[in-house]
């Protein structure tokens, strides 16, 4: 049986939820809590047992996912008292694992949307005989990432901190946040204190001569660290660019969930999702955006690459571009909100209050 650990936690997560009321892993992406896609993809790859390692708000996961049987999984939950970091979180759930010492255990970062071929990563691990195998992805601009160079056989040669100078960019390969650990390696991580896999476990293993194998898979890969990335990921799930068996409906330009009301002449494109009970008025145009349950987009509004929280209201003719509107917020008519603006949950913006365009 293949089993996996899903890391969902960390210090930042509580401070940076997508909206104030809903923790990020539970914000719907393509109509279902984001975590559902990761669980369903793991199941499709043959994983049967998943331990959710979390450091916060565990009580929101269990009521929704339960024992995992609706997804064909056996799910367990472990909550850290204080965040233990990625390595500490993995070590903290070791007692829940059922694999033998030489068997592979998959580990997934909980904030990555990817088309990774999970079975291929396990195969790479088994054929290479590695202690740990890592999914690596190539990025155009590696400056924001730790780099993972490999030798011609794919064996990892170093873990490098974010490059500061052009000379330090020795590869475009980065850690993509999915690993296979030989079970016995997990037991070597120190217990009961914070440990970072990238800064401590992996460099330590390399220094001890362990075999770390990289598998470059340049499939769809997105770090959902920002609301903008989250909206992009949701749209890509709907469009079918990001593969997931959990999208509730056909792939295409739009996903309109049961109970939503969309005016006949409203235009929904670019992987837009309209949640249950949401209303889209006449002539509204929504592109590449997520409209959560119960939100209202009034007539003539133009919404692009934006997240509209639950029960939020966007007034007539208002333009949103790259905006995040918190749950229950109201943006009046004839406003223009752009590029990275975030409206607090339940805030009120009157009609004709904000614009970016010039007087002409
Ligand atoms: P460290 O490697 O521990 O320093 O964390 P990081 O900041 O490099 O990790 P990052 O923020 O990239 O998070 C990677 C994944 O691990 C995400 O899905 C996080 O939710 C999760 N994660 C990070 N820290 C913790 C933690 O303390 N506990 C748990 N359970 N998960 C964590």
């Amino acid at each position: 049986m293949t089993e996996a650990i899903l890391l969902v936690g960390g210090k930042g997560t509580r401070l940076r939820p997508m909206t104030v009321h809903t923790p990020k892993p539970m914000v719907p992406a393509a109509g279902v809590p984001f975590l559902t896609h990761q669980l369903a993809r793991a199941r499709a790859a043959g994983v049967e047992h998943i331990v959710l390692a979390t450091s916060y708000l565990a009580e929101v996961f269990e009521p929704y996912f339960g024992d995992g049987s609706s997804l064909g999984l056996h799910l367990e939950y472990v909550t850290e008292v204080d965040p233990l970091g990625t390595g500490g979180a993995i070590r903290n759930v070791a007692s829940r694992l059922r694999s033998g010492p030489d068997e592979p255990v998959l580990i997934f970062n909980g904030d990555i949307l990817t088309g990774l071929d999970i079975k291929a990563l396990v195969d790479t691990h088994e054929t290479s005989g590695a202690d740990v195998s890592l999914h690596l992805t190539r990025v155009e601009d590696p400056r924001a990432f730790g780099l993972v160079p490999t030798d011609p056989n794919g064996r990892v040669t170093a873990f490098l901190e974010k490059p500061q100078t052009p000379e330090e960019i020795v590869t475009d390969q980065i850690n993509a946040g999915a690993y296979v650990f030989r079970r016995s390696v997990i037991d070597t991580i120190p217990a009961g204190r914070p440990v970072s896999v990238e800064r401590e476990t992996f460099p330590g293993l390399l220094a001890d001569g362990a075999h770390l194998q990289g598998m470059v898979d340049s499939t769809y890969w997105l770090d959902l660290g920002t609301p903008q990335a989250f909206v992009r990921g949701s749209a890509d799930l709907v469009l079918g660019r990001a593969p997931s068996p959990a999208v509730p409906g056909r792939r295409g330009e739009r996903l309109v969930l049961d109970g939503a009301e969309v005016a006949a002449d409203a235009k929904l494109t670019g992987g837009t999702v309209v949640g249950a009970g949401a209303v889209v008025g006449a002539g509204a145009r929504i592109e590449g955006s997520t409209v959560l349950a119960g939100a209202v987009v009034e007539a003539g509004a133009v919404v692009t690459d934006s997240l509209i929280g639950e029960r939020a209201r966007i007034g007539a003719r208002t333009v949103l571009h790259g905006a995040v509107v918190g749950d229950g917020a109201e943006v009046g008519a004839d406003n223009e909100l752009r590029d990275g603006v975030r409206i607090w949950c339940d805030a009120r913006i009157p009609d004709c209050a904000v614009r970016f365009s010039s007087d002409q």
Side-chain angles (χ1 to χ4, degrees):
M1 178 181 65
T2 317
E3 59 183 347
I5 300 170
L6 188 53
L7 299 173
V8 184
K11 292 192 196 81
T13 327
R14 193 196 290 262
L15 301 174
R16 292 183 273 114
M18 191 67 61
T19 66
V20 173
H21 304 311
T22 316
K24 200 158 66 176
M26 296 302 283
V27 176
V32 294
F34 171 69
L35 225 48
T36 320
H37 299 291
Q38 287 191 313
L39 295 171
R41 279 184 43 78
R43 181 68 197 93
V47 176
E48 289 167 8
H49 178 220
I50 297 187
V51 186
L52 205 84
T54 177
S55 58
Y56 79 119
L57 289 176
E59 63 274 16
V60 300
F61 303 122
E62 201 160 355
Y64 187 87
F65 293 110
D67 64 1
S69 51
S70 62
L71 290 163
L73 284 166
H74 178 224
L75 255 185
E76 288 186 66
Y77 307 82
V78 175
T79 308
E80 297 141 41
V81 178
D82 289 312
L84 288 170
T86 43
I90 295 167
R91 178 66 180 85
N92 190 48
V93 304
S95 64
R96 304 297 183 98
L97 300 173
R98 301 159 179 181
S99 306
D102 287 330
E103 287 185 291
V105 177
L106 279 153
I107 295 166
F108 300 108
N109 281 359
D111 52 2
I112 301 290
L113 179 60
T114 175
L116 167 70
D117 184 341
I118 296 170
K119 281 187 185 146
L121 184 64
V122 177
D123 288 350
T124 298
H125 181 77
E126 306 223 290
T127 50
S128 67
D131 297 299
V132 177
S133 302
L134 299 90
H135 172 208
L136 306 179
T137 189
R138 295 187 202 281
V139 288
E140 253 168 52
D141 182 0
R143 281 176 301 181
F145 301 93
L147 306 183
V148 188
T150 48
D151 74 8
N153 299 319
R155 194 165 169 156
V156 175
T157 54
F159 282 86
L160 305 173
E161 296 281 336
K162 285 178 194 167
Q164 306 291 332
T165 62
E167 296 75 48
E168 286 175 6
I169 304 179
V170 295
T171 178
D172 59 356
Q173 296 172 181
I174 64 158
N175 173 3
Y179 321 111
V180 183
F181 275 60
R182 183 188 301 143
R183 159 65 217 253
S184 56
V185 174
I186 292 177
D187 299 322
T188 68
I189 300 173
R193 68 163 173 88
V195 177
S196 155
V197 281
E198 274 197 303
R199 287 188 296 279
E200 184 174 341
T201 309
F202 294 153
L205 284 166
L206 269 190
D208 291 345
H211 179 172
L212 275 66
Q213 185 72 19
M215 186 188 88
V216 180
D217 184 341
S218 300
T219 175
Y220 183 92
W221 185 84
L222 190 65
D223 178 345
L224 300 179
T226 64
Q228 276 69 28
F230 193 91
V231 170
R232 182 71 261 148
S234 176
D236 287 340
L237 283 160
V238 173
L239 290 166
R241 290 181 189 153
S244 163
V247 177
R250 291 221 318 269
R251 307 299 178 278
E253 290 291 316
R254 71 196 66 84
L255 175 65
V256 178
L257 296 171
D258 287 348
E261 273 176 50
V262 178
D265 63 349
K267 207 166 164 223
L268 309 178
T269 54
T272 287
V273 186
V274 181
V279 177
V280 179
R285 284 184 285 140
I286 311 183
E287 184 180 349
S289 297
T290 297
V291 180
L292 293 179
V296 176
V297 178
E298 291 182 354
V302 179
V303 178
T304 316
D305 299 339
S306 296
L307 176 68
I308 299 176
E310 287 182 16
R311 303 173 316 283
R313 177 175 284 272
I314 308 303
R317 297 170 303 281
T318 278
V319 173
L320 299 183
H321 190 282
V324 176
V325 179
D327 293 345
E330 284 191 15
V331 180
D334 299 300
N335 284 291
E336 185 186 2
L337 301 175
R338 289 190 175 269
D339 304 332
V341 66
R342 297 182 70 164
I343 308 300
W344 288 90
C345 293
D346 301 316
R348 300 274 175 276
I349 295 184
D351 293 350
C352 298
V354 183
R355 72 172 178 179
F356 281 67
S357 49
S358 66
D359 288 343
Q360 279 76 44

